[in-house]
Amino acid sequence: MVILGAGPAGLVLGNILVDRGIDCVVLERSERAHVQTRARAGFLAANTVRVLERHGLADGLLRNGRAHHTCEFRTEDGRFRLDYSGLGLGERHTVYPQQALVADLVARFLERGGQIRFGTEALAVRGADGEWPEVEVREADGRPGRWRARYVAGCDGRHGAARRSLPPGTARHHRDLDITWLGLLADAPPSMDAVGYAVHERGFAGHMARTSDVTRYYLQCEPGTPADAWSDERIWDELDLRMGAAKYGPLHRGRILQRSVVELESDVLEPLRHGALFLAGDAAALISPSAAKGANLAVLEAELLARALTDALTIGDTEGLDGYSARCLTHIWRAQEFSHWMIGLLHGRSGTDGESLFHNSLRRARLASLRTSRSQQDWFAEHYVGV
Ligand code: APR
């Protein structure tokens, strides 16, 4: 079995397979230090934690992760909080930085006897419609190489080789939202005990705890803004303004450790199987980070794929593989639907034309029902923390 990509999708899949005695290798373009320090998501849904526990992959997050269950909305009509552990299904998130989870998964995979080829870039998957597909690679020493396997899992994200190797008829449902965020990692403790969503006329701002010393912030900016366009001071001033620091208390400032430009964009490939090639994680679908669904979907899909591959490779039962695409797509589309609802909730439009005014009034009404309607809050909680 060859797995492309050592992100959450590829590593959860690899860990489960190796644990079941299936020989597998993970090909990863980057170096180990890079994948273990890259700041990404951090909010693990209750189902994700259950999957990781089921497969002996949750020690680190149970030891060092922190339960999280409240979000706070700051709007032109004041602020309100929702404790979603008391709403909907009564579930909560565990906050654990994705790079820490990746480090745990790498260590566990190697302990279990799995093999990871860091610095190895997959170039193309060939012959997926046959019995033994091949992956063409550039090895760590720069030389070309080939890996053959009974199955290939494309867990190599949006720009990976799996996506580039799909047959021409593959459908790509795509939506470019024309919304850009600066994704910031600040060397500063969280400023509140909740996820903070500020809906402001100057644009969205978000606050998400990562650890007791490090906080993730998001700041909506004009599309096309380079990541380094704003000084640290301008970033903090803008965050203060949008998050209402004058009214609700100052933010803990600190050095901006990492910054990136996040263009909100969604897509879903269909189907997620092409012969012996299967897609999971970002390779299967991109989802905006507004509702923290990407990593959670990746883990869910990895477990489904691991089960199906195990049945196929150990007892010759291919029913799971046949149903893999349709099962995942049901989850993916529900998550997309909720994430687009969140995008509509969190972003206003700056124009004064009728269309923008209408959009902004709808957004305000949506926030008002979330603030006041218990059934709306239950619906929100169920979708916010579920996958
Ligand atoms: N060959 C080998 N490896 C590759 C290649 C390639 N051609 N292209 C990309 N990769 C590697 C990347 O370096 C990365 O480590 O594949 C890995 C993909 O990992 P992620 O991007 O973390 O994707 P995934 O495992 O699908 O995780 C899903 O977590 O934080 C979220 O936004 C993130 O939604 C994403 C989610």
Side-chain angles (χ1 to χ4, degrees):
M1 175 79 211
V2 170
I3 298 171
L4 310 182
L11 291 167
V12 169
L13 174 64
N15 266 288
I16 303 175
L17 291 176
V18 167
D19 198 42
R20 308 240 161 114
I22 292 163
D23 181 28
C24 66
V25 60
V26 175
L27 308 178
E28 167 58 52
R29 180 177 61 182
S30 302
E31 293 308 325
R32 182 172 180 175
H34 179 73
V35 300
Q36 296 187 169
T37 51
R38 195 171 37 180
R40 308 285 290 276
F43 273 67
L44 302 177
N47 182 67
T48 305
V49 176
R50 285 193 289 271
V51 170
L52 296 170
E53 277 187 285
R54 216 165 18 242
H55 301 288
L57 303 171
D59 292 358
L61 74 93
L62 294 176
R63 206 169 41 240
N64 300 318
R66 294 190 303 171
H68 196 286
H69 49 81
T70 305
C71 44
E72 178 170 314
F73 294 87
R74 296 184 175 181
T75 77
E76 61 265 63
D77 298 317
R79 68 171 166 175
F80 64 97
R81 292 188 144 216
L82 294 178
D83 175 352
Y84 48 87
S85 68
L87 296 163
L89 302 174
E91 295 192 323
R92 50 186 65 200
H93 284 112
T94 300
V95 183
Y96 190 56
Q98 187 169 313
Q99 62 273 33
L101 177 66
V102 165
D104 295 350
L105 293 171
V106 167
R108 213 56 216 266
F109 182 68
L110 297 174
E111 268 164 40
R112 287 177 178 183
Q115 200 194 145
I116 308 185
R117 307 286 289 227
F118 289 105
T120 302
E121 183 177 8
L123 302 174
V125 182
R126 308 251 181 241
D129 46 1
E131 283 275 299
W132 285 87
E134 274 188 354
V135 183
E136 276 177 28
V137 303
R138 188 180 303 120
E139 303 279 3
D141 61 8
R143 279 197 286 213
R146 269 170 211 283
W147 289 81
R148 283 182 86 211
R150 184 64 196 84
Y151 295 106
V152 176
C155 305
D156 52 349
R158 63 189 301 185
H159 301 299
R163 277 195 174 207
R164 289 197 302 271
S165 306
L166 299 172
T170 309
R172 176 171 178 251
H173 308 249
H174 177 247
R175 180 175 283 178
D176 183 353
L177 293 144
D178 201 26
I179 294 172
T180 303
W181 292 355
L182 282 181
L184 306 159
L185 197 68
D187 187 14
S191 298
M192 56 175 126
D193 60 348
V195 168
Y197 294 114
V199 184
H200 194 274
E201 60 184 15
R202 293 172 66 89
F204 164 74
H207 160 285
M208 282 128 215
R210 281 294 181 267
T211 65
S212 50
D213 312 310
V214 173
T215 309
R216 186 108 169 114
Y217 284 96
Y218 291 110
L219 205 45
Q220 187 183 354
C221 58
E222 279 300 309
T225 306
D228 57 2
W230 295 20
S231 67
D232 282 20
E233 198 186 356
R234 175 161 178 217
I235 286 170
W236 286 113
D237 289 347
E238 194 65 34
L239 284 169
D240 267 351
L241 193 69
R242 296 189 196 178
M243 304 224 45
K247 208 162 165 191
Y248 304 125
L251 302 175
H252 297 304
R253 294 189 173 203
R255 201 160 55 86
I256 304 296
L257 299 170
Q258 285 182 29
R259 41 171 92 202
S260 58
V261 173
V262 184
E263 316 259 7
L264 299 204
E265 187 184 359
S266 308
D267 74 4
V268 180
L269 297 194
E270 200 168 342
L272 302 178
R273 173 186 189 175
H274 295 279
L277 171 63
F278 293 84
L279 305 179
D282 275 12
L286 282 180
I287 187 156
S288 89
S290 55
K293 296 289 181 223
N296 292 300
L297 277 174
V299 170
L300 178 131
E301 291 156 20
E303 190 194 39
L304 285 175
L305 184 54
R307 263 198 218 137
L309 285 166
T310 307
D311 286 348
L313 289 164
T314 56
I315 53 172
D317 175 358
T318 56
E319 208 179 302
L321 290 183
D322 294 338
Y324 170 76
S325 180
R327 268 191 89 177
C328 287
L329 286 167
T330 308
H331 293 285
I332 290 170
W333 279 115
R334 287 193 67 180
Q336 291 284 6
E337 199 281 318
F338 181 71
S339 123
H340 283 83
W341 181 89
M342 282 287 282
I343 289 166
L345 186 79
L346 300 176
H347 297 89
R349 294 206 185 148
S350 52
T352 49
D353 56 297
E355 175 73 29
S356 302
L357 294 175
F358 197 93
H359 173 94
N360 291 342
S361 298
L362 278 186
R363 181 183 51 71
R364 206 161 173 174
R366 193 177 274 188
L367 277 162
S369 13
L370 188 60
R371 179 180 204 150
T372 53
S373 154
R374 171 65 201 240
S375 59
Q376 181 77 358
Q377 292 169 357
D378 282 326
W379 175 86
F380 170 81
E382 184 180 335
H383 288 81
Y384 185 62
V385 77
V387 268

mmCIF file of all heavy atoms in Angstrom, residues 9 14 31 42 59 73 79 116 125 132-133 152 163 168 176 183 229 236 245 259 278 289 329 340 357 365 378-379:
data_model
loop_
_atom_site.group_PDB
_atom_site.id
_atom_site.type_symbol
_atom_site.label_atom_id
_atom_site.label_comp_id
_atom_site.label_asym_id
_atom_site.label_seq_id
_atom_site.Cartn_x
_atom_site.Cartn_y
_atom_site.Cartn_z
ATOM 1 N N ALA A 9 -4.638 12.990 7.280
ATOM 2 C CA ALA A 9 -5.320 11.926 6.532
ATOM 3 C C ALA A 9 -4.379 10.747 6.301
ATOM 4 O O ALA A 9 -4.692 9.600 6.651
ATOM 5 C CB ALA A 9 -5.843 12.472 5.199
ATOM 6 N N GLY A 14 -2.344 5.382 7.580
ATOM 7 C CA GLY A 14 -1.161 4.524 7.684
ATOM 8 C C GLY A 14 -1.087 3.822 9.026
ATOM 9 O O GLY A 14 -0.802 2.624 9.104
ATOM 10 N N GLU A 31 10.330 17.675 4.640
ATOM 11 C CA GLU A 31 11.139 17.028 5.667
ATOM 12 C C GLU A 31 10.295 16.844 6.935
ATOM 13 O O GLU A 31 9.304 17.533 7.142
ATOM 14 C CB GLU A 31 12.369 17.892 5.974
ATOM 15 C CG GLU A 31 13.355 17.997 4.821
ATOM 16 C CD GLU A 31 13.774 16.632 4.262
ATOM 17 O OE1 GLU A 31 13.892 15.672 5.053
ATOM 18 O OE2 GLU A 31 13.969 16.535 3.035
ATOM 19 N N GLY A 42 -6.594 23.159 14.683
ATOM 20 C CA GLY A 42 -6.333 22.756 16.063
ATOM 21 C C GLY A 42 -7.573 22.314 16.829
ATOM 22 O O GLY A 42 -7.485 21.907 17.972
ATOM 23 N N ASP A 59 -3.009 9.413 22.804
ATOM 24 C CA ASP A 59 -2.310 9.668 24.082
ATOM 25 C C ASP A 59 -1.905 11.126 24.249
ATOM 26 O O ASP A 59 -2.173 11.740 25.270
ATOM 27 C CB ASP A 59 -1.042 8.806 24.196
ATOM 28 C CG ASP A 59 -1.393 7.336 24.328
ATOM 29 O OD1 ASP A 59 -2.609 7.040 24.365
ATOM 30 O OD2 ASP A 59 -0.470 6.505 24.382
ATOM 31 N N PHE A 73 -19.660 35.564 19.930
ATOM 32 C CA PHE A 73 -19.837 36.392 18.735
ATOM 33 C C PHE A 73 -19.854 37.850 19.161
ATOM 34 O O PHE A 73 -20.571 38.213 20.096
ATOM 35 C CB PHE A 73 -21.158 36.042 18.050
ATOM 36 C CG PHE A 73 -21.175 34.640 17.492
ATOM 37 C CD1 PHE A 73 -21.564 33.566 18.288
ATOM 38 C CD2 PHE A 73 -20.779 34.390 16.194
ATOM 39 C CE1 PHE A 73 -21.556 32.271 17.786
ATOM 40 C CE2 PHE A 73 -20.770 33.094 15.682
ATOM 41 C CZ PHE A 73 -21.160 32.032 16.484
ATOM 42 N N ARG A 79 -22.513 41.521 22.093
ATOM 43 C CA ARG A 79 -21.881 40.197 22.012
ATOM 44 C C ARG A 79 -22.752 39.154 22.700
ATOM 45 O O ARG A 79 -23.556 39.482 23.580
ATOM 46 C CB ARG A 79 -20.488 40.223 22.634
ATOM 47 C CG ARG A 79 -20.480 40.430 24.116
ATOM 48 C CD ARG A 79 -19.086 40.223 24.697
ATOM 49 N NE ARG A 79 -19.059 40.741 26.056
ATOM 50 C CZ ARG A 79 -18.017 40.620 26.866
ATOM 51 N NH1 ARG A 79 -16.921 40.009 26.465
ATOM 52 N NH2 ARG A 79 -18.072 41.101 28.094
ATOM 53 N N ILE A 116 8.226 5.881 6.446
ATOM 54 C CA ILE A 116 7.913 7.180 5.814
ATOM 55 C C ILE A 116 9.143 7.628 5.050
ATOM 56 O O ILE A 116 10.242 7.670 5.602
ATOM 57 C CB ILE A 116 7.574 8.278 6.843
ATOM 58 C CG1 ILE A 116 6.486 7.806 7.806
ATOM 59 C CG2 ILE A 116 7.128 9.554 6.119
ATOM 60 C CD1 ILE A 116 6.013 8.881 8.782
ATOM 61 N N VAL A 125 0.535 9.348 -10.489
ATOM 62 C CA VAL A 125 0.084 7.969 -10.263
ATOM 63 C C VAL A 125 -0.297 7.418 -11.625
ATOM 64 O O VAL A 125 -1.091 8.034 -12.347
ATOM 65 C CB VAL A 125 -1.140 7.931 -9.316
ATOM 66 C CG1 VAL A 125 -1.571 6.495 -9.050
ATOM 67 C CG2 VAL A 125 -0.830 8.657 -8.008
ATOM 68 N N TRP A 132 -1.941 -3.164 -10.417
ATOM 69 C CA TRP A 132 -0.798 -2.697 -9.638
ATOM 70 C C TRP A 132 -0.356 -1.306 -10.102
ATOM 71 O O TRP A 132 0.562 -1.179 -10.898
ATOM 72 C CB TRP A 132 0.382 -3.692 -9.762
ATOM 73 C CG TRP A 132 0.147 -4.925 -8.950
ATOM 74 C CD1 TRP A 132 -0.509 -6.045 -9.349
ATOM 75 C CD2 TRP A 132 0.534 -5.140 -7.589
ATOM 76 N NE1 TRP A 132 -0.565 -6.961 -8.331
ATOM 77 C CE2 TRP A 132 0.086 -6.428 -7.228
ATOM 78 C CE3 TRP A 132 1.213 -4.371 -6.637
ATOM 79 C CZ2 TRP A 132 0.287 -6.958 -5.958
ATOM 80 C CZ3 TRP A 132 1.422 -4.914 -5.375
ATOM 81 C CH2 TRP A 132 0.958 -6.190 -5.044
ATOM 82 N N PRO A 133 -1.039 -0.274 -9.619
ATOM 83 C CA PRO A 133 -0.659 1.079 -10.043
ATOM 84 C C PRO A 133 0.758 1.423 -9.600
ATOM 85 O O PRO A 133 1.287 0.810 -8.670
ATOM 86 C CB PRO A 133 -1.667 1.975 -9.341
ATOM 87 C CG PRO A 133 -2.196 1.173 -8.219
ATOM 88 C CD PRO A 133 -2.113 -0.257 -8.629
ATOM 89 N N VAL A 152 -3.306 2.800 -3.963
ATOM 90 C CA VAL A 152 -2.636 4.067 -3.645
ATOM 91 C C VAL A 152 -3.660 4.989 -2.984
ATOM 92 O O VAL A 152 -4.785 5.130 -3.480
ATOM 93 C CB VAL A 152 -2.093 4.751 -4.926
ATOM 94 C CG1 VAL A 152 -1.480 6.115 -4.606
ATOM 95 C CG2 VAL A 152 -1.064 3.855 -5.614
ATOM 96 N N ARG A 163 -4.381 14.423 -7.215
ATOM 97 C CA ARG A 163 -5.328 15.249 -7.983
ATOM 98 C C ARG A 163 -4.887 15.401 -9.436
ATOM 99 O O ARG A 163 -5.719 15.428 -10.339
ATOM 100 C CB ARG A 163 -5.448 16.633 -7.355
ATOM 101 C CG ARG A 163 -6.415 16.677 -6.202
ATOM 102 C CD ARG A 163 -6.756 18.109 -5.860
ATOM 103 N NE ARG A 163 -7.801 18.110 -4.840
ATOM 104 C CZ ARG A 163 -8.682 19.096 -4.661
ATOM 105 N NH1 ARG A 163 -8.621 20.161 -5.419
ATOM 106 N NH2 ARG A 163 -9.602 19.015 -3.740
ATOM 107 N N PRO A 168 -9.676 12.596 -17.016
ATOM 108 C CA PRO A 168 -10.255 13.884 -17.419
ATOM 109 C C PRO A 168 -11.720 14.073 -17.011
ATOM 110 O O PRO A 168 -12.140 15.180 -16.743
ATOM 111 C CB PRO A 168 -10.128 13.865 -18.949
ATOM 112 C CG PRO A 168 -9.232 12.725 -19.293
ATOM 113 C CD PRO A 168 -9.088 11.834 -18.119
ATOM 114 N N ASP A 176 -15.207 29.737 -5.471
ATOM 115 C CA ASP A 176 -14.220 30.692 -4.985
ATOM 116 C C ASP A 176 -15.002 31.781 -4.267
ATOM 117 O O ASP A 176 -15.866 32.409 -4.865
ATOM 118 C CB ASP A 176 -13.459 31.277 -6.186
ATOM 119 C CG ASP A 176 -12.367 32.208 -5.734
ATOM 120 O OD1 ASP A 176 -12.290 32.489 -4.524
ATOM 121 O OD2 ASP A 176 -11.598 32.669 -6.595
ATOM 122 N N GLY A 183 -3.960 34.580 8.081
ATOM 123 C CA GLY A 183 -3.916 33.590 9.160
ATOM 124 C C GLY A 183 -2.673 33.880 9.986
ATOM 125 O O GLY A 183 -1.572 33.893 9.452
ATOM 126 N N ALA A 229 2.170 42.365 4.291
ATOM 127 C CA ALA A 229 1.816 43.761 4.012
ATOM 128 C C ALA A 229 1.582 44.562 5.292
ATOM 129 O O ALA A 229 1.775 45.770 5.309
ATOM 130 C CB ALA A 229 0.565 43.810 3.137
ATOM 131 N N TRP A 236 -2.298 44.168 15.311
ATOM 132 C CA TRP A 236 -2.908 44.205 16.653
ATOM 133 C C TRP A 236 -3.921 45.341 16.766
ATOM 134 O O TRP A 236 -4.976 45.170 17.398
ATOM 135 C CB TRP A 236 -1.817 44.330 17.729
ATOM 136 C CG TRP A 236 -1.067 43.041 17.925
ATOM 137 C CD1 TRP A 236 0.234 42.795 17.638
ATOM 138 C CD2 TRP A 236 -1.595 41.815 18.438
ATOM 139 N NE1 TRP A 236 0.563 41.485 17.933
ATOM 140 C CE2 TRP A 236 -0.540 40.859 18.428
ATOM 141 C CE3 TRP A 236 -2.845 41.403 18.888
ATOM 142 C CZ2 TRP A 236 -0.700 39.544 18.865
ATOM 143 C CZ3 TRP A 236 -3.015 40.092 19.323
ATOM 144 C CH2 TRP A 236 -1.959 39.181 19.308
ATOM 145 N N ALA A 245 -11.969 45.719 21.542
ATOM 146 C CA ALA A 245 -11.140 45.703 22.749
ATOM 147 C C ALA A 245 -11.493 46.859 23.691
ATOM 148 O O ALA A 245 -11.451 46.707 24.912
ATOM 149 C CB ALA A 245 -9.662 45.762 22.362
ATOM 150 N N ARG A 259 2.625 33.920 9.555
ATOM 151 C CA ARG A 259 1.481 34.522 8.881
ATOM 152 C C ARG A 259 1.324 33.911 7.500
ATOM 153 O O ARG A 259 2.299 33.575 6.841
ATOM 154 C CB ARG A 259 1.637 36.041 8.787
ATOM 155 C CG ARG A 259 3.049 36.490 8.443
ATOM 156 C CD ARG A 259 3.139 37.954 8.156
ATOM 157 N NE ARG A 259 3.456 38.764 9.310
ATOM 158 C CZ ARG A 259 3.186 40.064 9.393
ATOM 159 N NH1 ARG A 259 2.585 40.667 8.388
ATOM 160 N NH2 ARG A 259 3.517 40.747 10.451
ATOM 161 N N PHE A 278 -7.439 6.148 -4.312
ATOM 162 C CA PHE A 278 -8.474 6.707 -3.441
ATOM 163 C C PHE A 278 -8.018 8.054 -2.903
ATOM 164 O O PHE A 278 -6.853 8.211 -2.543
ATOM 165 C CB PHE A 278 -8.743 5.753 -2.268
ATOM 166 C CG PHE A 278 -9.362 4.465 -2.708
ATOM 167 C CD1 PHE A 278 -8.560 3.420 -3.178
ATOM 168 C CD2 PHE A 278 -10.740 4.298 -2.704
ATOM 169 C CE1 PHE A 278 -9.127 2.245 -3.628
ATOM 170 C CE2 PHE A 278 -11.319 3.115 -3.153
ATOM 171 C CZ PHE A 278 -10.503 2.085 -3.621
ATOM 172 N N PRO A 289 -11.759 27.279 6.436
ATOM 173 C CA PRO A 289 -11.504 26.997 7.858
ATOM 174 C C PRO A 289 -12.542 27.596 8.807
ATOM 175 O O PRO A 289 -12.398 27.474 10.004
ATOM 176 C CB PRO A 289 -10.120 27.634 8.093
ATOM 177 C CG PRO A 289 -9.939 28.624 7.009
ATOM 178 C CD PRO A 289 -10.805 28.218 5.864
ATOM 179 N N LEU A 329 -18.688 11.355 0.586
ATOM 180 C CA LEU A 329 -19.289 12.554 -0.007
ATOM 181 C C LEU A 329 -20.493 13.044 0.797
ATOM 182 O O LEU A 329 -20.739 14.239 0.903
ATOM 183 C CB LEU A 329 -19.657 12.292 -1.468
ATOM 184 C CG LEU A 329 -18.425 12.244 -2.392
ATOM 185 C CD1 LEU A 329 -18.788 11.665 -3.761
ATOM 186 C CD2 LEU A 329 -17.793 13.627 -2.558
ATOM 187 N N HIS A 340 -20.473 26.919 4.649
ATOM 188 C CA HIS A 340 -20.965 28.069 3.880
ATOM 189 C C HIS A 340 -21.970 28.897 4.672
ATOM 190 O O HIS A 340 -22.019 30.125 4.540
ATOM 191 C CB HIS A 340 -21.528 27.619 2.525
ATOM 192 C CG HIS A 340 -20.419 27.326 1.568
ATOM 193 N ND1 HIS A 340 -19.757 26.116 1.552
ATOM 194 C CD2 HIS A 340 -19.785 28.100 0.671
ATOM 195 C CE1 HIS A 340 -18.783 26.169 0.662
ATOM 196 N NE2 HIS A 340 -18.780 27.360 0.119
ATOM 197 N N LEU A 357 -26.341 45.816 0.853
ATOM 198 C CA LEU A 357 -27.182 46.137 2.013
ATOM 199 C C LEU A 357 -28.075 44.952 2.358
ATOM 200 O O LEU A 357 -28.249 44.601 3.521
ATOM 201 C CB LEU A 357 -28.051 47.373 1.710
ATOM 202 C CG LEU A 357 -27.283 48.686 1.506
ATOM 203 C CD1 LEU A 357 -28.237 49.806 1.095
ATOM 204 C CD2 LEU A 357 -26.538 49.079 2.786
ATOM 205 N N ALA A 365 -29.826 39.320 10.599
ATOM 206 C CA ALA A 365 -30.988 38.519 11.015
ATOM 207 C C ALA A 365 -30.546 37.105 11.408
ATOM 208 O O ALA A 365 -31.047 36.523 12.369
ATOM 209 C CB ALA A 365 -32.002 38.455 9.869
ATOM 210 N N ASP A 378 -29.342 24.794 19.011
ATOM 211 C CA ASP A 378 -29.122 23.337 19.024
ATOM 212 C C ASP A 378 -28.622 22.873 17.654
ATOM 213 O O ASP A 378 -27.709 22.060 17.547
ATOM 214 C CB ASP A 378 -30.421 22.593 19.363
ATOM 215 C CG ASP A 378 -30.723 22.650 20.853
ATOM 216 O OD1 ASP A 378 -29.774 22.634 21.654
ATOM 217 O OD2 ASP A 378 -31.902 22.737 21.213
ATOM 218 N N TRP A 379 -29.237 23.410 16.613
ATOM 219 C CA TRP A 379 -28.816 23.057 15.241
ATOM 220 C C TRP A 379 -27.360 23.463 15.026
ATOM 221 O O TRP A 379 -26.544 22.696 14.523
ATOM 222 C CB TRP A 379 -29.735 23.780 14.239
ATOM 223 C CG TRP A 379 -29.317 23.596 12.823
ATOM 224 C CD1 TRP A 379 -29.653 22.567 11.990
ATOM 225 C CD2 TRP A 379 -28.434 24.462 12.075
ATOM 226 N NE1 TRP A 379 -29.039 22.743 10.771
ATOM 227 C CE2 TRP A 379 -28.290 23.882 10.790
ATOM 228 C CE3 TRP A 379 -27.762 25.643 12.357
ATOM 229 C CZ2 TRP A 379 -27.494 24.458 9.793
ATOM 230 C CZ3 TRP A 379 -26.965 26.212 11.366
ATOM 231 C CH2 TRP A 379 -26.845 25.619 10.105
#
